[in-house]
Amino acid sequence: MKKFDNIKNRFPVNPWDISEKKYNPSDYFTNETLFACANGFIGVRGSFEEGNYLGHSGTYINAFYESNKIEYGEKYVGYPSEGQSMVNVANSIKIEISIDDEILDINKGELIDYNRKLDFRNGILKRKIIWKTQSGKKAEISFNRLVSFENKHLIAQKIEITPLNFDGEITYKSFLDGTIKNYIDEDDPRIDNKFKKSVFKTRELYNDEFMFLNQITKKSGKEYSVGLKESIISKSKYKVKKYKDTDKLYNEYRIKAKKEKTITIEKFSVYYTEMNYLKKQKIEVELEKAFEKGWDYYEKFQKEYLEKFWNDSYIKIDGDDALTQGIRFNMFHLLQSTGKDGYTNIGAKGLTGEGYEGHYFWDTETYVLSFFLYTQPETAKKLLEFRYNTLDAARDRAKEMSHTKGALYPWRTINGYECSSYYPAGTAQYHINADIAFALKQYYQVTDDFDFIKSMGIEILVETARLWEDAGSYNSEGQFCINCVTGPDEYTALINNNYYTNLMAAENLSFASEMVEKIKTESPEIYQELKNKLKLSEEEHFGWEKHAEKMFYPYDEKLKINAQDDSFLSKPIWELDKTPKEKFPLLLNYHPLVLYRYQVIKQADLILAEALLPHKFSDEQVKRDYDYYEKLTTHDSSLSTCIYSIVANRIGYEKEAYEYFINTSRTDLDNYQGNTKDGIHSASMAGTWLGVVMGFGGMKIYNNELHFDPKIPEKWNEYTFKIKFKNRIIKVKVDKTKADYSLEKGEPLTIYNKGNKIELS
Ligand code: BGC
């Protein structure tokens, strides 16, 4: 097994928050990601209000991007022409505080006390400092920030300044800064480097009753507006001046400060995209409303919202607070970064950084969606709606790729159109089609929401099934083969019969057929509509059934293992134990072709198939496969360790299951991948939840019924989680000797514990 660095808790262990008691400049950039606040629509990195010390402050709006021309040395047919990159929009949290003209900068003067905390129970980021100027004046300053779950357009701030040993003048400035740029790192292919200059043109700047900025992206003409208003709500005396600069607005307050009298400032900003006329008026009304309600109202709402979230997605590990902290931190960030309106999704880096350009990948359906499905199915449904709303783009893409029918979903996208420029590890990952179909099947099994299948799901299923029919072909032995694709393992590309792809495609084909039949029998009118809309013939779906049945699965008779693809096992083995540590991740140190020539694996591939469809494989088979592939896997992708943990649990490799799980659960908290500064790893975060529920809990759906096969790591005394299943809420509690299942809500249900029937009522 790969040796992971020992857990090195970067934060004090507390199951409900992350906190710092010391300012450490070298952690600043990474911690900007970890302390980010978001609500699925807006995300704000955890940068300090008074300035951007050593990192990169960022404010992002889900699905708001700028297009760019993808430059290729040699451009072939079907290569996407336009990229999409999430852009950093105006910074509205920025402030400046001066005492006697000495500007607050915690690297200067003396930082007497420092405390920062992001509390998962109320979603509020608080920082309190005591700072002494070089001339000896001391002040306590507290910063409170939230990105509202009540109004997705709103960021609220409360700032309190208390002079501790002086009376005098304090200057406070509040900014709306539209001069921001995206982050650049020329050496990392996972970072977009196209936007060296600002992507925006400012169209309107206004500073009177409130600040207002309207900007438009230079290339694609996408527009957003932001308004900001602040008010000193304590009884302090002050004079205010308003300024308008190029692309930037600010107000300056000169406040008469009195020793030990706190100056309290409330500040709200509101972001809107793509509004028609009246945007300024609309934003003004929203700001007024925010002031009527005030900070305390939003703080309370945030807490109530999160109380419900934690109740719905209850999870606790008794005996390991560091893991509980990791798991809850991850769930909190998933909630924060996921779009909930059917038109936005969750980027691989959430709304916390610019890595992978804010793109949505298969990470959503294969990892993140399950977490929501079993805890907040309505959010899972919205994520699936996103794929329905972008189905036409996938149909266009299939045509571009010379398919005669069907839809091909993009490997990377924001607006539904493919924008991956490196096709071997991009477009060639056709499995994304099957991943989406698999998520639909899971959604249907867990919610019984047949209406959704009839209204939206079925179109996705039909079009993805058609794509497989068009992409696959029969070999001379009558087996259905899918050639020249890339599976999940991106260190192996453009191969024939990737086992994972073939298996998932077969699922896609047969589920599509099953649903067509069901609609035909149960809702003949809808079936007629579908037939017309999709030009579906009476027989078409029988063909899909046949392809699924005849699907080819490569197997090595000598090794008695499933082969990752047709050619993988014939390549030489990459000697991972002889590869120096600094050469990892391999993708940053070797040309892709070098990697493609070896048996070396970036992330769970065949093992992922065995994790997602456990009933299709015997324990003995999984064990042999695991023993073989595990040694070749680098886990250079953060999507890997959670899957290895799940499968290790199944075959009784307790120590490995636990080690892989630790790595997953604290991937970002402890910066295991080394690039948390560019944003969270959302798939791995969700993988933590999967690791507990599907790994240790051994949960799976088989024959439309729920099965558990719980294990408990030595270090834990007990663990508990709740899931929603077919309109019930089930609580599962596992200790050293037994598992308890209770029905918290809903009709009686039969479930299985280690194969034995249990009637829940
Ligand atoms: C992984 C992909 C993943 C992407 C975004 C890559 O490193 O190989 O599977 O979709 O990151 O998370």
Side-chain angles (χ1 to χ4, degrees), residues 439-462:
L440 271 167
K441 182 172 179 179
Q442 301 242 87
Y443 175 77
Y444 175 58
Q445 286 179 323
V446 173
T447 62
D448 283 339
D449 184 357
F450 189 44
D451 285 343
F452 180 69
I453 298 289
K454 285 189 288 191
S455 60
M456 295 190 186
I458 191 67
E459 279 194 48
I460 299 178
L461 291 171
V462 167

Side-chain angles (χ1 to χ4, degrees), residues 348 356 361-363 411 488 490 602-603 637 639:
Y356 286 129
F361 292 72
W362 71 311
D363 304 35
W411 180 245
E490 294 186 351
K602 184 177 179 190
Q603 65 206 89
S637 157
L639 279 65

Side-chain angles (χ1 to χ4, degrees), residues 522-539:
E522 293 178 18
S523 310
E525 278 160 33
I526 294 182
Y527 178 67
Q528 275 314 321
E529 280 169 29
L530 276 176
K531 270 181 77 176
N532 296 337
K533 187 170 179 197
L534 303 177
K535 300 197 175 43
L536 194 68
S537 74
E538 291 284 334
E539 304 78 42

